[in-house]
Amino acid sequence: MKTVAQLLRMKDDKNQQVHTISPDDMVLQALMRMAEKNVGALLVVKDDKVLGIISERDYARKMVLHGRSSVGTKVSDIMVSPVITIDPHQNVETCLSIMTEKHLRHLPVVEDGKLVGLLSIGDLVKEAIAEQADLIRQLEQYIRGE
């Protein structure tokens, strides 16, 4: 099973970029950045430290449903904090387990206190399927005596 570090190395440059926002920015700015970057979540970072995460789900549940204005509300008011993070040495299975148990869609990767990447549920499921397909291929070859 691959490690988080191996998965991050496999991602292309476009998909490896981690999009962030300041806790003092307005929610409207976060929404505009998510739309511009075509992502569903942004890490909330200050002084290179991950403070939280804000997602489209947070906006829908904490803003729209409560009639709050995205123009006058800071990101820090609706972000999820603290953030569950992983280190690059963990494997795909561990990450999937954490995400399933905690109902997460994104896992920031932090090493020595520094943000080094972000994995989505899609990244992990894609890798798990690839690993299963490879195992099936190996078993078929074994059965055929190859």
Side-chain angles (χ1 to χ4, degrees):
M1 184 139 299
K2 286 192 174 111
T3 65
V4 168
Q6 290 170 314
L7 278 184
L8 290 176
R9 281 194 296 273
M10 290 171 44
K11 291 175 88 171
D12 61 34
D13 290 338
K14 180 185 174 212
N15 290 326
Q16 200 171 46
Q17 187 177 11
V18 179
H19 303 290
T20 64
I21 195 154
S22 165
D24 298 322
D25 286 339
M26 295 299 136
V27 171
L28 181 61
Q29 291 170 281
L31 293 172
M32 290 170 35
R33 184 161 305 145
M34 282 187 253
E36 174 190 336
K37 302 299 183 184
N38 196 30
V39 296
L42 299 170
L43 290 178
V44 183
V45 176
K46 187 169 187 173
D47 300 326
D48 293 328
K49 183 172 174 141
V50 178
L51 301 178
I53 188 167
I54 182 172
S55 69
E56 293 167 335
R57 182 191 300 183
D58 298 317
Y59 173 72
R61 293 181 179 177
K62 297 174 184 175
M63 298 290 297
V64 175
L65 292 178
H66 292 96
R68 296 171 77 180
S69 168
S70 57
V71 175
T73 304
K74 288 185 178 183
V75 166
S76 59
D77 292 340
I78 70 163
M79 70 182 184
V80 173
S81 182
V83 179
I84 296 171
T85 63
I86 53 172
D87 70 66
H89 308 292
Q90 290 177 297
N91 64 34
V92 170
E93 186 177 348
T94 300
C95 294
L96 282 170
S97 176
I98 291 168
M99 292 177 100
T100 301
E101 180 183 319
K102 302 291 185 184
H103 304 285
L104 305 174
R105 294 180 182 172
H106 302 88
L107 275 177
V109 183
V110 176
E111 184 172 35
D112 298 325
K114 184 178 180 202
L115 178 64
V116 295
L118 180 69
L119 289 178
S120 70
I121 189 73
D123 295 330
L124 296 168
V125 168
K126 180 180 173 183
E127 180 57 31
I129 290 170
E131 287 181 11
Q132 289 176 355
D134 189 50
L135 178 60
I136 290 168
R137 184 186 52 76
Q138 290 175 23
L139 290 170
E140 287 173 341
Q141 288 176 335
Y142 176 76
I143 290 168
R144 289 191 301 259
E146 296 176 5

